[in-house]
Amino acid sequence: MKNHHDDDEEEEEEENVVGLPPCALKNFEEVLVEADNKEVLVFLDYDGTLSPIVTDPNKAYISEETRKAVLEVSTRFRTSIISGRSVDKVKNFVGLPHLFYAGSHGMDIEGPDVGISGQTTATGTTNRVKHRPEGLDQNEAAGARDELSERTAGIEGVTVEDNKFCCSVHFRNCKDPTSVDRVERIVREVSDERGLDVKRGRKVFEVRPRVTWNKGNALDYLMSVFEVTQKTGFPIYLGDDKTDEDAFAKLRELGCGRGVLVSTKVKPTQAHYSVKDPTEVLEFLRLLSRWGKSRDEPEGR
Ligand SMILES: [Mg+2]
């Protein structure tokens, strides 16, 4: 396994950031202090959270032990994966089909039947969770993706990834530092022309439609699907990148749950806690399962 902690966040961020939020492992009891008597919900980003950031985005595999830990957590708490990738791709990576998935930065949501009232069909077919924001058009991303692939084809180290409703332009493998500016110019031009949004992440430009929907909305939507409110639910969200900040912000707005930033670098964040890397995420998930077990099966009963 190869870790790339080097210069992932090359942009200088706002100055008034003093440090990372407190460690979620060292303060584990405190993270869960408000979760008592509430339904704990687990939301996990994929890249850089469950899997290490790797050179080839098509090889961002999750380790067997992490998969096992996610499975374990999902037997106690409703667990959702919220990723920038397409649902199919991230589902394939995680390999746990019973979870809830929100792909394309939360725009494309699907999951198993949760028995939503009024949605049972006469034929008894399962009513899987399925949601996309209104006005979402797959063709927008497809068009941009094709043009971006074409226009960046001559730049070494650039790959354009199809995320169904959005696309990612990866420049992690650009050896020539001047190509990043070229890539950015192309990405901004194409997106502007096509009325799409651009967000810069860890060595990637995320191009997505201008629908008002992000990972925070996906979290909110899934909570409503689970019929959980701020009073009855305790969502925990783990993520490492800028798009995850929308989910951290949502938790702040709702005034419930806790956000955990996965980072070794100090950066502005709305998360309440932090862990360093996917290895610490694994540790956190294990602690969470243990916590759930002791809650469900108190000693001496
Ligand atoms: Mg990520």
Side-chain angles (χ1 to χ4, degrees):
M1 219 185 285
K2 220 171 158 195
N3 272 307
H4 290 259
H5 285 312
D6 36 55
D7 54 345
D8 272 341
E9 278 83 12
E10 62 275 83
E11 292 163 285
E12 279 311 309
E13 304 280 2
E14 287 101 290
E15 321 72 42
N16 52 350
V17 186
V18 278
L20 281 165
C23 173
L25 298 176
K26 285 186 197 130
N27 302 281
F28 186 76
E29 295 289 318
E30 190 193 293
V31 177
L32 273 299
V33 77
E34 282 177 33
D36 259 340
N37 306 314
K38 288 184 181 174
E39 183 180 345
V40 173
L41 306 168
V42 180
F43 296 93
L44 302 161
D45 166 52
Y46 183 73
D47 290 274
T49 299
L50 292 179
S51 77
I53 300 282
V54 290
T55 325
D56 181 353
N58 289 316
K59 292 182 179 158
Y61 303 121
I62 183 174
S63 71
E64 263 323 303
E65 46 186 354
T66 302
R67 179 180 290 117
K68 222 181 110 199
V70 176
L71 173 63
E72 185 76 29
V73 158
S74 73
T75 62
R76 303 221 174 248
F77 315 110
R78 276 182 171 133
T79 304
S80 312
I81 309 292
I82 305 195
S83 169
R85 307 240 200 185
S86 71
V87 165
D88 291 344
K89 207 164 190 177
V90 73
K91 206 187 235 183
N92 205 27
F93 273 135
V94 176
L96 300 169
H98 67 286
L99 306 184
F100 296 85
Y101 289 87
S104 307
H105 300 292
M107 291 178 201
D108 194 11
I109 301 176
E110 57 174 73
D113 182 17
V114 285
I116 311 166
S117 40
Q119 286 204 1
T120 314
T121 58
T123 54
T125 46
T126 42
N127 283 283
R128 297 173 52 80
V129 172
K130 201 134 186 70
H131 181 269
R132 285 169 189 171
E134 230 173 284
L136 189 62
D137 180 1
Q138 200 179 330
N139 296 323
E140 286 187 16
R145 190 184 65 232
D146 292 346
E147 192 181 342
L148 286 165
S149 301
E150 215 168 278
R151 291 184 58 181
T152 58
I155 308 174
E156 210 205 321
V158 179
T159 48
V160 181
E161 186 181 10
D162 175 7
N163 298 326
K164 196 163 183 177
F165 294 103
C166 20
C167 61
S168 303
V169 182
H170 299 275
F171 57 89
R172 178 167 298 277
N173 301 320
C174 278
K175 288 191 192 86
D176 177 2
T178 62
S179 2
V180 179
D181 291 339
R182 272 173 70 202
V183 175
E184 175 154 23
R185 221 174 310 124
I186 295 168
V187 169
R188 303 247 175 234
E189 227 173 88
V190 171
S191 307
D192 279 354
E193 271 164 28
R194 291 171 176 270
L196 299 165
D197 271 341
V198 181
K199 220 174 204 176
R200 185 172 175 156
R202 298 174 73 181
K203 303 271 189 189
V204 63
F205 292 106
E206 305 284 7
V207 178
R208 48 188 199 167
R210 273 187 196 149
V211 289
T212 334
W213 194 274
N214 55 40
K215 289 184 171 188
N217 299 101
L219 184 149
D220 205 22
Y221 174 79
L222 282 164
M223 280 179 74
S224 73
V225 162
F226 302 151
E227 294 180 325
V228 166
T229 66
Q230 291 106 301
K231 287 209 173 77
T232 61
F234 190 85
I236 300 174
Y237 187 101
L238 282 87
D240 72 312
D241 213 346
K242 279 202 189 102
T243 56
D244 299 304
E245 289 298 328
D246 295 322
F248 297 145
K250 180 58 79 178
L251 293 179
R252 296 275 182 186
E253 182 195 317
L254 294 172
C256 73
R258 293 292 180 267
V260 180
L261 173 70
V262 184
S263 182
T264 46
K265 286 225 168 180
V266 173
K267 51 186 171 184
T269 183
Q270 299 226 52
H272 304 77
Y273 293 94
S274 69
V275 292
K276 283 197 184 75
D277 51 29
T279 309
E280 288 201 354
V281 170
L282 168 63
E283 188 55 30
F284 183 84
L285 294 174
R286 285 174 172 163
L287 289 175
L288 193 58
S289 285
R290 216 171 301 156
W291 180 88
K293 186 171 193 287
S294 66
R295 184 166 84 159
D296 296 349
E297 307 152 24
E299 274 176 73
R301 279 184 64 189

